[in-house]
Amino acid sequence: MQYEVSTDRSRFDVDLIHTFLRSSYWAANMPRDILDRAIRHALCFGVFSGQTQVAFARVITDYATFAYLADLFVVPEHRGRGVSKLLLRSILDHPELQGLRRFLLATKDAHGLYAQFGFKPLANPDDFMTIHHPDVYKKESRA
Ligand SMILES: CC(C)(COP(=O)(O)OP(=O)(O)OC[C@H]1O[C@@H](n2cnc3c(N)ncnc32)[C@H](O)[C@@H]1OP(=O)(O)O)[C@@H](O)C(=O)NCCC(=O)NCCS
């Protein structure tokens, strides 16, 4: 199967991205308007088989020092064929993402994938702090 990676937002199948993300463990119930804004303000990558989008990822970055990799997924029918590895290679080779001091991500179970690309567990997790609202997309949180 031939796959192509693109950062051209006009090609993205936002309905597909929304359907996947709103059912994901990390962005459950994400509203469409929030996704539209999140795509608009990030460097986003799609993987395509012909015109059909089969994978997605967002890189939130200042293009100088820091990047955060988010919302990476491959649609189930195209898993196990190296699509996520093609996507990660394209992200890490992207000319505007070179020389960063830190590239961060969070994952529940795909450590083995990211480790292949040089990501390591936090050496000093106690140095990091977060404000985290996992229920932010629940109806009552948005009222
Ligand atoms: C995780 C996911 C992106 C992998 O995509 P994929 O295109 O099927 O993966 P690939 O075929 O490129 O291969 C992934 C490689 O990472 C390894 N891996 C490690 N953890 C993995 C995991 N949790 N899921 C899939 N592969 C994993 C695989 O064994 C494989 O290794 P190999 O190179 O030795 O074959 C895909 O299963 C997915 O979208 N899952 C649901 C969403 C998700 O969990 N996203 C990650 C959030 S951080």
Side-chain angles (χ1 to χ4, degrees):
M1 187 92 55
Q2 286 281 89
Y3 293 108
E4 179 199 358
V5 181
S6 174
T7 54
D8 179 357
R9 285 194 196 93
S10 70
R11 293 186 63 185
F12 292 166
D13 182 345
V14 184
D15 288 340
L16 171 107
I17 298 165
H18 187 222
T19 300
F20 186 89
L21 289 180
R22 75 175 175 217
S23 317
S24 68
Y25 70 80
W26 67 87
N29 304 314
M30 185 182 210
R32 174 65 184 247
D33 61 312
I34 299 281
L35 174 63
D36 289 342
R37 198 170 357 137
I39 289 176
R40 204 159 57 237
H41 295 289
L43 175 59
C44 300
F45 292 75
V47 183
F48 295 84
S49 169
Q51 295 310 308
T52 305
Q53 184 159 6
V54 302
F56 175 74
R58 278 189 326 118
V59 177
I60 302 151
T61 183
D62 62 6
Y63 296 100
T65 66
F66 177 78
Y68 185 84
L69 177 60
D71 296 338
L72 187 151
F73 70 86
V74 176
V75 298
E77 311 80 65
H78 289 266
R79 288 183 192 164
R81 299 178 188 177
V83 172
S84 73
K85 293 198 287 187
L86 171 70
L87 179 54
L88 277 163
R89 190 71 274 149
S90 303
I91 291 170
L92 293 172
D93 287 348
H94 192 281
E96 291 191 83
L97 298 176
Q98 302 308 305
L100 305 179
R101 195 162 64 234
R102 192 185 299 276
F103 216 131
L104 197 65
L105 66 81
T107 183
K108 257 196 204 336
D109 62 8
H111 305 74
L113 167 61
Y114 298 114
Q116 295 187 37
F117 292 86
F119 286 91
K120 297 183 171 57
L122 293 175
N124 302 300
D126 291 347
D127 293 356
F128 286 77
M129 298 177 76
T130 182
I131 295 173
H132 189 203
H133 298 299
D135 296 335
V136 70
Y137 303 139
K138 281 198 178 150
K139 276 202 171 60
E140 53 273 27
S141 315
R142 297 199 90 210

